Amino acid sequence: MAQQVQLLTTVEEFIKKPHQHYINGQWMPSMSGATMDDVDPSNRQVLTTVARGQAEDVQAAVEAAGRAFRDKAWRLMSPGSKSILIWRLADSMAAHLEELAQLDSIDMGMPIRQAQYGTIPMAIDHMRYMAGWATKIEGETIPVSAGAFFNYTVRQPVGVVGAIIPWNFPLLMAVWKLGAALAAGCTVVLRPAEQSPLSVLRLAELITEVGFPPGVINVVTGYGPEAGAALAANPGVNKISFTGSTEVGKSIMRTAADRMTRVSLELGGKSPNIICADANLKRAISGSMLGIFMNQGEVCSAGSRILVERQIYDQALEQMADYAKNMRVGSPLDPKTQMGPVVSQEQFQRVLGYIESARQEGATLVAGGDKMVQAGSGFYIQPTVFANVTDAMTISREEIFGPVVAVMPFDTVEEAIERANATEYGLAAGVWTENVRTAHYLAQSLEAGTVWVNAYHVYDAAAPWGGFKQSGFGREMGHHALDLYTEMKDVWISLQ
Ligand code: ADP
Ligand code: MG
C-alpha cells in the first residue's frame, strides 16, 4: 500500500460537519430541509452530505447580496480597505493551504501534490493579484467638443454576481470569479458544483473570520439544474459568471437574455497541440502528456488533439505510449500519484464510452484503453492514447474531459492550421517548434484564446484567459477580468 498523506484533524472534522448554505454571514440548511450526497471518487463512498438548495434558498442569498451591495458598509468602503480585506483572505488561504489542498483532493480526485504545489498556490496568487486591482480601477477624462463641459467616466460595480463553477478545480474556479468581482466592488452568490463543494464551504468559513460584511459573499450548494438554474434565472442577479460545458453555457445565455443579465462564459474545448518535426522532442512529449493528463484530463484546455508532423510521427507516438504506460495512477492522497480517479460515476461512464467509440470507429489504441480495477473501487481510468485518429471520429470532435488523447499525423503547417481550427471550440492551443517563424505564424493563425509555444498548461493571474468561438467569451484573469464586473458611466458637468 502506497504511503498516503494523513488527513489533518481539522479536515476530518470539517468533513463530518453538516454542510449548509452560507447566506448573509450565517450558516443555514435548505428551507426544504433536503440534502445531497457528496461522493469520494477514489472509493465511491459517501464522504458527507451537503444542503440541496432550491430556488427559495437562492432567492434568500440573492436578497442578502443585493442588500449588501446597497449597504454603505461595502458600497462606501474605500478601495484601500477592500484591497486589504481581499489580501487578508489570501493570507488566510495561505495559512490553510494544506487543508484546502486535502479537501479538493478527496472531493474530486486531484493528485495531492498538484493541489499543494500547483492549484491552491495559484488560487492564493490570484487573490493577491486581484487585491491590488481594488485600488486601480480608474476612469478617464474625455475632451468633448459638444460645448463647455467637463466629461469623465467612472467604472462602477455591476451589482450582484451569480457565479456558477465546475468541479474540476473547485477552489481555483471560485477564486477566479470572487477575486475580480470583489475587487470591482460587487457582491456575490457562489454556487459550487455538486460534486465538489467542500473547499468553497471551507473558504466561506475563512471569509467570515477575515471580516467581510455579511452578504458580500454567499454560498448556495445544490444541483446544477436546481440551484444553478435558479441562480441564472433570478431577477436580482445582475451578472452571471459561468464556467462549465458549452451546452449549459448556452442555456444560461438564453435565460439571461430575458433580463439582459450580463454573462461571461468559460466553456468547453477540444484544444489542438501541434508538434512540428523540428521540435525538441523530449520537451514536446512530456509537455504534451502533461497537456492531456494533468488533472485526469478534466481541464477545459486539455490538449486533447495532438497533431504530429509525419517525419517524427512514429517516434513521437512510441514515446507518448511509453509515457502514458508509466504514469502513476492511484490514490489522490498518495504524493507519488500523477493521475487520480475521474470525478464521478457519470464521468467514468462517459469517458469509457468515448474510448469504446474510438475503438469502434477504427482508431488504433497504443496505451491504456480501460478502467483500472487494480486501483480499487474508485473511478480510475488508464491514461489512454489513440493513434491514427481521423478528424471525423467522435474523439476528434467532442470534448471528453478525461484522460484520452487523439494523435494524428500532418504533412504541412498549413494543413495543421486548417485541421487545428476545424472545431467549434477555441479555448487554447499548443505549438512545439524550434523555428521562430513557425512559432509566431502558428500563434497568429490558431483560433484560440491562449496559445502556448514550447509549453502547455501555464497560467498566471496577470495573463488573460478565455475562449474564441463556442469556448465562450469574456476574459478572466489579468486586468481584463475587471471589465466583466464593472459598468462604465459617463458624466457630463456643464461648465457654463
Ligand atoms: P460538466 O459536464 O463539466 O459538469 P456542466 O456544464 O454540466 O459541466 O457543469 C458546470 C456547472 O454548471 C456545474 O456547477 C453544474 O452543476 C452547473 N449546471 C449544470 N446544469 C445547469 C443548469 N441547467 N443551469 C445552471 N447551472 C447548471
Ligand atoms: Mg465529491
Side-chain angles (χ1 to χ4, degrees):
M1 188 65 191
Q3 193 70 38
Q4 301 229 344
V5 164
Q6 201 61 40
L7 283 188
L8 295 167
T9 323
T10 44
V11 168
E12 280 179 342
E13 282 169 4
F14 178 77
I15 292 170
K16 277 190 226 133
K17 280 209 281 208
H19 296 287
Q20 303 185 323
H21 307 299
Y22 180 67
I23 299 174
N24 205 32
Q26 308 284 326
W27 293 95
M28 51 187 72
S30 288
M31 291 182 198
S32 70
T35 60
M36 58 185 191
D37 289 341
D38 180 4
V39 170
D40 176 346
S42 72
N43 58 19
R44 309 189 192 204
Q45 303 293 308
V46 174
L47 197 55
T48 185
T49 57
V50 177
R52 175 176 172 178
Q54 307 273 5
E56 65 266 23
D57 305 298
V58 168
Q59 177 63 25
V62 171
E63 280 174 16
R67 277 194 308 274
F69 183 68
R70 289 182 295 275
D71 194 290
K72 287 181 180 168
W74 182 246
R75 190 164 50 89
L76 298 186
M77 184 186 286
S78 73
S81 299
K82 286 186 178 127
S83 177
I84 288 169
L85 269 184
I86 302 168
W87 187 272
R88 269 198 216 139
L89 182 56
D91 280 345
S92 176
M93 289 166 66
H96 297 90
L97 191 159
E98 180 62 24
E99 241 178 275
L100 295 165
Q102 291 189 359
L103 285 172
D104 270 357
S105 188
I106 42 180
D107 212 357
M108 57 64 68
M110 183 184 295
I112 187 70
R113 282 188 77 86
Q114 179 197 320
Q116 288 166 324
Y117 296 100
T119 316
I120 308 299
M122 206 187 287
I124 297 164
D125 280 355
H126 191 91
M127 221 29 133
R128 294 201 195 284
Y129 173 85
M130 285 299 170
W133 273 113
T135 52
K136 294 165 194 70
I137 301 174
E138 297 174 344
E140 315 158 285
T141 58
I142 318 278
V144 290
S145 304
F149 291 100
F150 173 50
N151 186 298
Y152 67 92
T153 62
V154 277
R155 288 172 71 194
Q156 297 189 321
V158 67
V160 174
V161 173
I164 301 174
I165 58 168
W167 44 261
N168 59 341
F169 294 98
L171 188 75
L172 184 64
M173 293 299 102
V175 164
W176 278 13
K177 302 199 184 309
L178 276 177
L182 295 172
C186 295
T187 59
V188 182
V189 177
L190 176 62
R191 214 285 321 195
E194 56 267 40
Q195 295 88 345
S196 58
L198 296 180
S199 58
V200 166
L201 291 169
R202 182 69 186 111
L203 183 71
E205 293 186 343
L206 304 182
I207 283 165
T208 316
E209 289 166 20
V210 161
F212 281 91
V216 169
I217 304 157
N218 308 271
V219 179
V220 177
T221 50
Y223 291 112
E226 296 180 355
L231 184 56
N234 192 293
V237 172
N238 303 104
K239 187 228 155 50
I240 287 285
S241 179
F242 174 79
T243 301
S245 63
T246 294
E247 187 194 350
V248 175
K250 286 179 184 175
S251 86
I252 283 175
M253 207 170 154
R254 282 187 205 105
T255 305
D258 281 344
R259 297 180 206 279
M260 212 57 79
T261 310
R262 274 64 177 137
V263 284
S264 53
L265 305 168
E266 206 263 79
L267 307 175
K270 192 73 207 176
S271 298
N273 182 23
I274 300 172
I275 306 179
C276 298
D278 65 8
N280 174 330
L281 196 58
K282 191 161 176 273
R283 279 185 60 182
I285 299 299
S286 58
S288 302
M289 295 295 91
L290 172 84
I292 180 62
F293 295 128
M294 189 189 78
N295 210 46
Q296 300 73 245
E298 296 167 325
V299 189
C300 47
S301 49
S304 54
R305 289 187 293 146
I306 303 182
L307 291 100
V308 186
E309 200 160 357
R310 197 176 300 276
Q311 296 98 292
I312 58 159
Y313 180 71
D314 290 338
Q315 191 189 353
L317 200 56
E318 196 184 314
Q319 292 183 26
M320 287 185 217
D322 272 357
Y323 190 105
K325 286 174 190 161
N326 287 312
M327 278 187 80
R328 293 187 296 269
V329 184
S331 165
L333 290 176
D334 180 344
K336 295 208 177 65
T337 289
Q338 293 173 303
M339 214 178 82
V342 300
V343 70
S344 63
Q345 175 73 33
E346 187 190 355
Q347 197 61 15
F348 188 62
Q349 295 304 344
R350 242 174 69 90
V351 176
L352 292 173
Y354 277 114
I355 291 175
E356 188 50 35
S357 83
R359 283 184 204 274
Q360 284 183 6
E361 291 172 28
T364 310
L365 183 69
V366 296
D370 208 349
K371 53 183 178 258
M372 295 186 64
V373 271
Q374 70 273 34
S377 55
F379 304 121
Y380 292 96
I381 296 180
Q382 295 168 338
T384 296
V385 180
F386 278 105
N388 302 323
V389 179
T390 66
D391 296 345
M393 287 180 191
T394 311
I395 63 161
S396 294
R397 289 181 290 107
E398 294 185 16
E399 182 175 45
I400 299 174
F401 226 67
V404 181
V405 69
V407 187
M408 41 202 125
F410 71 88
D411 290 296
T412 66
V413 168
E414 291 305 327
E415 178 202 336
I417 292 168
E418 198 183 314
R419 291 171 59 197
N421 288 340
T423 165
E424 68 200 24
Y425 295 114
L427 191 54
V431 171
W432 302 86
T433 177
E434 294 294 299
N435 181 309
V436 70
R437 194 198 74 86
T438 313
H440 282 289
Y441 185 59
L442 281 167
Q444 296 291 314
S445 307
L446 293 169
E447 294 166 359
T450 291
V451 179
W452 289 296
V453 178
N454 296 331
Y456 210 95
H457 281 328
V458 280
Y459 304 88
D460 192 284
W465 177 256
F468 280 27
K469 304 197 283 189
Q470 291 197 33
S471 291
F473 50 81
R475 293 293 178 269
E476 296 190 293
M477 302 213 272
H479 62 83
H480 301 280
L482 299 162
D483 296 343
L484 306 180
Y485 300 100
T486 49
E487 292 275 19
M488 181 173 290
K489 181 180 283 175
D490 186 53
V491 181
W492 296 75
I493 309 282
S494 172
L495 298 176
Q496 284 179 327

PDB file of all heavy atoms in Angstrom, residues 38-41 107-108 195-196, ligand 2:
ATOM      1  N   ASP A  38     -22.251  13.824  -1.128  1.00  0.00           N
ATOM      2  CA  ASP A  38     -21.000  14.177  -1.794  1.00  0.00           C
ATOM      3  C   ASP A  38     -20.120  12.927  -1.752  1.00  0.00           C
ATOM      4  O   ASP A  38     -19.859  12.375  -0.679  1.00  0.00           O
ATOM      5  CB  ASP A  38     -20.351  15.356  -1.057  1.00  0.00           C
ATOM      6  CG  ASP A  38     -19.037  15.786  -1.704  1.00  0.00           C
ATOM      7  OD1 ASP A  38     -18.665  15.227  -2.756  1.00  0.00           O
ATOM      8  OD2 ASP A  38     -18.377  16.682  -1.127  1.00  0.00           O
ATOM      9  N   VAL A  39     -19.701  12.478  -2.934  1.00  0.00           N
ATOM     10  CA  VAL A  39     -19.018  11.187  -3.057  1.00  0.00           C
ATOM     11  C   VAL A  39     -17.505  11.375  -3.175  1.00  0.00           C
ATOM     12  O   VAL A  39     -17.035  12.321  -3.792  1.00  0.00           O
ATOM     13  CB  VAL A  39     -19.569  10.441  -4.298  1.00  0.00           C
ATOM     14  CG1 VAL A  39     -18.751   9.208  -4.632  1.00  0.00           C
ATOM     15  CG2 VAL A  39     -21.034  10.085  -4.073  1.00  0.00           C
ATOM     16  N   ASP A  40     -16.757  10.461  -2.569  1.00  0.00           N
ATOM     17  CA  ASP A  40     -15.303  10.409  -2.710  1.00  0.00           C
ATOM     18  C   ASP A  40     -15.001   9.537  -3.940  1.00  0.00           C
ATOM     19  O   ASP A  40     -15.286   8.344  -3.941  1.00  0.00           O
ATOM     20  CB  ASP A  40     -14.720   9.790  -1.436  1.00  0.00           C
ATOM     21  CG  ASP A  40     -13.209   9.595  -1.513  1.00  0.00           C
ATOM     22  OD1 ASP A  40     -12.643   9.675  -2.617  1.00  0.00           O
ATOM     23  OD2 ASP A  40     -12.611   9.356  -0.442  1.00  0.00           O
ATOM     24  N   PRO A  41     -14.450  10.137  -4.998  1.00  0.00           N
ATOM     25  CA  PRO A  41     -14.270   9.381  -6.253  1.00  0.00           C
ATOM     26  C   PRO A  41     -13.216   8.276  -6.160  1.00  0.00           C
ATOM     27  O   PRO A  41     -13.146   7.424  -7.040  1.00  0.00           O
ATOM     28  CB  PRO A  41     -13.846  10.449  -7.259  1.00  0.00           C
ATOM     29  CG  PRO A  41     -13.272  11.544  -6.440  1.00  0.00           C
ATOM     30  CD  PRO A  41     -13.994  11.527  -5.128  1.00  0.00           C
ATOM     31  N   ASP A 107     -12.238  15.445  -2.506  1.00  0.00           N
ATOM     32  CA  ASP A 107     -13.580  15.717  -3.022  1.00  0.00           C
ATOM     33  C   ASP A 107     -13.710  15.390  -4.507  1.00  0.00           C
ATOM     34  O   ASP A 107     -14.778  14.958  -4.957  1.00  0.00           O
ATOM     35  CB  ASP A 107     -13.942  17.194  -2.776  1.00  0.00           C
ATOM     36  CG  ASP A 107     -15.427  17.390  -2.550  1.00  0.00           C
ATOM     37  OD1 ASP A 107     -16.178  16.408  -2.635  1.00  0.00           O
ATOM     38  OD2 ASP A 107     -15.834  18.538  -2.280  1.00  0.00           O
ATOM     39  N   MET A 108     -12.656  15.620  -5.278  1.00  0.00           N
ATOM     40  CA  MET A 108     -12.797  15.355  -6.727  1.00  0.00           C
ATOM     41  C   MET A 108     -11.650  14.582  -7.361  1.00  0.00           C
ATOM     42  O   MET A 108     -11.658  14.368  -8.572  1.00  0.00           O
ATOM     43  CB  MET A 108     -13.125  16.634  -7.513  1.00  0.00           C
ATOM     44  CG  MET A 108     -12.201  17.794  -7.433  1.00  0.00           C
ATOM     45  SD  MET A 108     -10.558  17.504  -8.096  1.00  0.00           S
ATOM     46  CE  MET A 108     -10.927  17.332  -9.849  1.00  0.00           C
ATOM     47  N   GLN A 195     -20.539  18.062  -7.164  1.00  0.00           N
ATOM     48  CA  GLN A 195     -19.550  17.004  -6.955  1.00  0.00           C
ATOM     49  C   GLN A 195     -18.447  17.422  -5.981  1.00  0.00           C
ATOM     50  O   GLN A 195     -17.755  16.566  -5.443  1.00  0.00           O
ATOM     51  CB  GLN A 195     -18.883  16.630  -8.296  1.00  0.00           C
ATOM     52  CG  GLN A 195     -19.810  16.011  -9.322  1.00  0.00           C
ATOM     53  CD  GLN A 195     -20.506  17.066 -10.184  1.00  0.00           C
ATOM     54  OE1 GLN A 195     -20.508  18.257  -9.855  1.00  0.00           O
ATOM     55  NE2 GLN A 195     -21.122  16.635 -11.258  1.00  0.00           N
ATOM     56  N   SER A 196     -18.242  18.727  -5.804  1.00  0.00           N
ATOM     57  CA  SER A 196     -17.041  19.165  -5.078  1.00  0.00           C
ATOM     58  C   SER A 196     -17.228  20.495  -4.359  1.00  0.00           C
ATOM     59  O   SER A 196     -16.533  21.463  -4.649  1.00  0.00           O
ATOM     60  CB  SER A 196     -15.889  19.310  -6.077  1.00  0.00           C
ATOM     61  OG  SER A 196     -16.282  20.251  -7.070  1.00  0.00           O
TER      62      SER A 196
HETATM   63 MG    MG B   2     -17.055  14.918  -4.282  1.00  0.00          MG
END
